[in-house]
Amino acid sequence: MKHLRTFLLATVATALPGIALAQTAWDMPTPYPEGNFHEKNIATFVADVNEAAGDALAITPHYNQSLIKHPDIKSSVRDGIVPIGELLVSRLENENPIFGADSVPFLATSYEDARKLYDVQKPLMEKALAAEGLKLLFSVPWPPQGLYTKDSVDSVEALAGRSFRAYNTSTEAIANAAGMVPTQIEASDIATAFSTGRVAAMMTSPSTGVDSQAWDFLSYYYPLNAWLPRNMVIVNQAAFDALPAEAQTAITEAAAEAETRGWAASEEETKRTTDLLAENGITVAEPSQALTDGFKAIGEKLTEAWKSTAGEDGAALIEAYRQ
């Protein structure tokens, strides 16, 4: 990671009389491929900032972990290796349980509920990020999570013993509660993991299923609507504060537009990618009542476990959400 410090947070010309300050250049790492709807949204955000900021700032996105691996993006922004980046919110749950609220299974299972949950989670996220010198710019949900398998399943018990792709604390807990074997796999490594037999099942969005071309190695998709995890874009507060006022305004205004646009795009993405799964040979099947009930029972246990881990903030969040 030390070598990445050669990427400049800012390049400023010598302040001689009559010579304007040079443009500040920011590199922005993201975890997902350029064609993903999150990254299309970020591309528009970047274009909007660059246009509005004029000569004050230019952001260059680096997609699909090409600059910094997903697990290192948050720390890289915090430490000033890069000034801005995107990551999955729940990746930080091990650091602070409040970041895992959007990934508690079957707590929020619709866009309306996910928005309500975000509204009560957001101030707590901002407080936790601020303590590390970070600023939340915007957060956008993935389509609802569903179950992918190689063969048909009609109950949680039928999944016992299978290796299961995990990408955060919640998915690890689901695997353990269902008797599966959690295996940490990033989105960019899904195809390889399934093709080599490292995992046999996963729970993720139809969007990620399309990105990874799940039809090449899986046969069934069950739209459980288990939760709507979110990505977020964060910025190093010191780097943000060092920008001229017009660049700061360009970022905050573009971020607000990106959040609104991203939520709408996520809903559109749910239908589009679910249809694409079916068109490419995946059997999109309604989950049996036994499978749904089994996962809901797991969700109830994990909600209580999360509340206990998250302490007073977690209890207050759940209470506010359920009002």
Side-chain angles (χ1 to χ4, degrees):
M1 294 297 294
K2 290 182 180 179
H3 297 297
L4 287 170
R5 293 187 183 277
T6 57
F7 284 91
L8 299 179
L9 277 180
T11 55
V12 183
T14 303
L16 296 175
I19 298 179
L21 293 179
Q23 190 175 57
T24 297
W26 280 10
D27 289 294
M28 180 179 182
T30 79
Y32 305 101
E34 190 170 357
N36 181 274
F37 84 98
H38 279 289
E39 309 316 331
K40 290 179 180 179
N41 189 39
I42 282 176
T44 303
F45 162 75
V46 167
D48 288 347
V49 171
N50 291 348
E51 180 179 0
D55 293 335
L57 175 65
I59 302 175
T60 300
H62 300 267
Y63 303 107
N64 207 31
Q65 304 189 98
S66 60
L67 179 61
I68 295 174
K69 295 297 184 183
H70 195 176
D72 300 320
I73 290 176
K74 177 256 187 175
S75 60
S76 296
V77 177
R78 179 195 64 203
D79 297 341
I81 296 169
V82 290
I84 187 172
E86 178 200 30
L87 67 150
L88 184 71
V89 173
S90 57
R91 282 206 66 92
L92 306 185
E93 185 175 3
N94 283 332
E95 301 176 19
N96 187 327
I98 209 66
F99 290 110
D102 59 287
S103 291
V104 176
F106 294 99
L107 178 60
T109 58
S110 68
Y111 280 94
E112 181 181 0
D113 287 347
R115 186 76 215 198
K116 184 178 180 182
L117 181 62
Y118 177 43
D119 287 343
V120 297
Q121 183 189 15
K122 183 178 180 180
L124 298 171
M125 290 170 54
E126 291 176 323
K127 179 182 176 181
L129 289 169
E132 296 193 66
L134 298 168
K135 176 181 177 66
L136 175 66
L137 291 181
F138 63 92
S139 188
V140 171
W142 288 90
Q145 306 291 282
L147 177 69
Y148 292 80
T149 59
K150 289 187 175 182
D151 49 18
S152 63
V153 294
D154 58 7
S155 67
V156 169
E157 290 75 18
L159 295 166
R162 303 189 193 199
S163 55
F164 181 81
R165 179 217 171 198
Y167 58 84
N168 59 15
T169 300
S170 292
T171 47
E172 289 178 9
I174 289 171
N176 289 325
M180 295 183 286
V181 181
T183 305
Q184 189 76 27
I185 303 291
E186 287 295 335
S188 58
D189 298 325
I190 288 174
T192 300
F194 276 94
S195 298
T196 57
R198 289 181 61 199
V199 285
M202 67 177 175
M203 195 174 287
T204 192
S205 69
S207 183
T208 299
V210 168
D211 283 348
S212 60
Q213 297 186 344
W215 47 84
D216 288 338
F217 46 85
L218 292 168
S219 300
Y220 289 85
Y221 173 65
Y222 298 92
L224 289 167
N225 294 342
W227 68 94
L228 288 80
R230 294 192 322 276
N231 284 1
M232 65 178 171
V233 171
I234 56 173
V235 66
N236 182 289
Q237 185 72 60
F240 180 84
D241 291 343
L243 294 172
E246 64 268 26
Q248 293 183 14
T249 299
I251 290 173
T252 54
E253 289 182 352
E257 292 175 2
E259 186 164 277
T260 299
R261 182 177 59 243
W263 279 74
S266 181
E267 291 201 58
E268 294 170 2
E269 183 78 351
T270 299
K271 183 180 187 310
R272 184 187 75 84
T273 52
T274 301
D275 289 346
L276 276 173
L277 291 174
E279 289 171 13
N280 283 278
I282 293 279
T283 299
V284 178
E286 284 301 313
S288 69
Q289 193 63 49
L291 186 64
T292 299
D293 290 347
F295 274 116
K296 282 187 175 180
I298 289 174
E300 290 171 3
K301 292 179 181 178
L302 295 184
T303 298
E304 292 306 310
W306 181 84
K307 281 176 58 179
S308 176
T309 302
E312 292 182 4
D313 281 347
L317 182 150
I318 295 296
E319 181 180 359
Y321 168 68
R322 287 177 168 167
Q323 285 180 351

